[in-house]
Amino acid sequence: MTNDKNDKNDDLILSDTDYSDAQNWLCFGGNSDKKTDIFVVYPTVVFSKNEVNIPFAQLKNETMRSAAQSWLSSIDDIISQANVYVPLYRQLNGVMLTKYPPREMWYHTNLTPRDDIFAAFDYYLTKINKNERPFILFGHSQGSQLVMELATTFLGNEKYQKYNKNHIVSYAIGSPFTQREIAKNPFLKFGEKKDDTRVIVSWNCATESEYSSKSYENFLSWKDDVLVINPVSWRVDEIPAKLNENVNARADIKHGILIVDEDETKFAKTPPAISKFHLSEIPFFADFIKQNVKDRINAFNLS
């Protein structure tokens, strides 16, 4: 099943969530004293069996707010280089992982969650940023899927194409991204080096055993034509790069998987649809991402 409700170039659907209301933002720019913005979409943080939160968590869900804030704090070193904007959104409840196959998961993410994120980004761009500052998009897992939609469907729409000039980079981490998606936005390309701009970068991790057994083909984060960059070297090649003294990360470009040779026995068991390393796709590379944000901001300012 696919979601074709936004196929027409002039037919973006924005929810009626009021993003002029500060209560609908987890973070709203701080002091706004930096020259660059970062718009962040948090991952799946709600796993509730309460019917009111099925299939989508409600905006007033305090568990979502606190869990999202905790996740945001975990990436503070990365995102604090910019003015941080983080909208609350009615995300797809994590308990649906056991109810929907991957294609159904992405279909539902592109309903209410996307409508909220589209509305929030519209408010941010038109009322706050106003095409006056460069911006970065950043998301993981469900948030990554929504960042992809912003970078492709949203910024590819004729109404918003003028904002592409200030798009530095989109980090769409932990969900599948393909060349077909890029084609939705003529101003977008997949990143190929550490300092190219107006690009999107993405990676999906697997353990050595998940890779050798090909179990990654059952992951939510995988499609047969998914794109991948190595976030250590920031290259699109298969040369292993040192994550630390004992661990390498290498990409399989053909199959779109980033293999990390860390000891997987140290990591908790996960559902079959998720890699053991899924929750580590940012922590593994945090220092490299932090430096990369700086590199790309500098490159944009010099361009």
Side-chain angles (χ1 to χ4, degrees):
M1 182 183 293
T2 59
N3 181 18
D4 59 2
K5 68 174 184 174
N6 288 328
D7 281 353
K8 293 182 179 179
N9 198 42
D10 60 351
D11 194 32
L12 291 187
I13 296 176
L14 282 59
S15 77
D16 60 3
T17 299
D18 182 8
Y19 284 103
S20 68
D21 184 348
Q23 293 300 310
N24 291 329
W25 293 84
L26 194 64
C27 189
F28 197 71
N31 295 326
S32 300
D33 57 350
K34 300 180 177 68
K35 295 180 180 180
T36 303
D37 295 344
I38 186 164
F39 186 95
V40 181
V41 189
Y42 53 85
T44 306
V45 295
V46 175
F47 296 83
S48 171
K49 294 182 180 179
N50 188 326
E51 288 187 4
V52 73
N53 291 305
I54 294 177
F56 304 113
Q58 298 303 298
L59 283 179
K60 293 184 178 180
N61 185 311
E62 288 302 319
T63 298
M64 179 171 69
R65 183 183 288 269
S66 62
Q69 184 62 64
S70 178
W71 176 81
L72 200 62
S73 296
S74 75
I75 61 168
D76 183 67
D77 278 353
I78 295 171
I79 62 177
S80 60
Q81 302 177 69
N83 308 308
V84 181
Y85 295 86
V86 189
L88 291 164
Y89 70 100
R90 291 171 289 176
Q91 69 171 204
L92 183 63
N93 192 327
V95 299
M96 308 313 290
L97 266 173
T98 60
K99 299 182 182 295
Y100 295 147
R103 187 172 292 186
E104 286 287 314
M105 289 290 292
W106 299 135
Y107 171 77
H108 283 83
T109 298
N110 282 355
L111 296 175
T112 298
R114 181 172 67 173
D115 294 350
D116 271 356
I117 290 299
F118 276 9
F121 196 52
D122 170 83
Y123 181 81
Y124 158 76
L125 282 181
T126 62
K127 305 298 184 183
I128 306 302
N129 181 282
K130 301 178 184 177
N131 229 358
E132 295 173 351
R133 293 188 302 275
F135 64 88
I136 293 168
L137 299 175
F138 191 98
H140 181 244
S141 197
Q142 182 171 176
S144 170
Q145 172 69 17
L146 294 166
V147 161
M148 290 178 187
E149 286 296 307
L150 291 176
T152 59
T153 303
F154 192 98
L155 288 174
N157 182 275
E158 287 182 358
K159 179 180 178 181
Y160 299 99
Q161 285 182 359
K162 65 183 179 182
Y163 295 99
N164 280 279
K165 72 174 186 178
N166 277 325
H167 174 218
I168 299 178
V169 58
S170 289
Y171 295 91
I173 306 164
S175 57
F177 186 69
T178 69
Q179 191 65 42
R180 294 193 304 275
E181 297 298 314
I182 289 181
K184 296 177 183 178
N185 184 353
F187 301 93
L188 185 69
K189 62 180 182 178
F190 195 71
E192 296 180 344
K193 55 184 182 178
K194 70 177 184 178
D195 56 359
D196 47 4
T197 58
R198 300 182 180 91
V199 299
I200 189 167
V201 294
S202 182
W203 60 90
N204 301 287
C205 287
T207 70
E208 288 281 3
S209 66
E210 291 167 345
Y211 176 66
S212 61
S213 68
K214 295 187 177 181
S215 61
Y216 64 84
E217 293 182 357
N218 297 315
F219 292 164
L220 284 166
S221 60
W222 188 81
K223 292 179 181 177
D224 60 5
D225 54 357
V226 67
L227 299 171
V228 61
I229 194 169
N230 190 321
V232 179
S233 63
W234 300 104
R235 295 194 304 261
V236 181
D237 61 29
E238 299 190 346
I239 300 172
K242 273 196 172 297
L243 183 56
N244 57 48
E245 186 176 338
N246 301 308
V247 178
N248 287 327
R250 72 183 192 280
D252 180 331
I253 301 301
K254 180 179 179 181
H255 298 101
I257 287 290
L258 186 71
I259 306 102
V260 181
D261 62 10
E262 174 64 280
D263 180 3
E264 62 187 85
T265 63
K266 298 188 296 185
F267 293 78
K269 191 174 182 179
T270 53
I274 296 177
S275 170
K276 282 185 179 180
F277 290 167
H278 181 60
L279 297 181
S280 299
E281 285 165 330
I282 294 175
F284 275 159
F285 311 106
D287 290 342
F288 298 97
I289 302 171
K290 178 182 178 180
Q291 181 61 46
N292 191 246
V293 168
K294 181 178 180 180
D295 290 342
R296 292 187 194 270
I297 290 174
N298 289 340
F300 183 89
N301 290 335
L302 291 173
S303 63

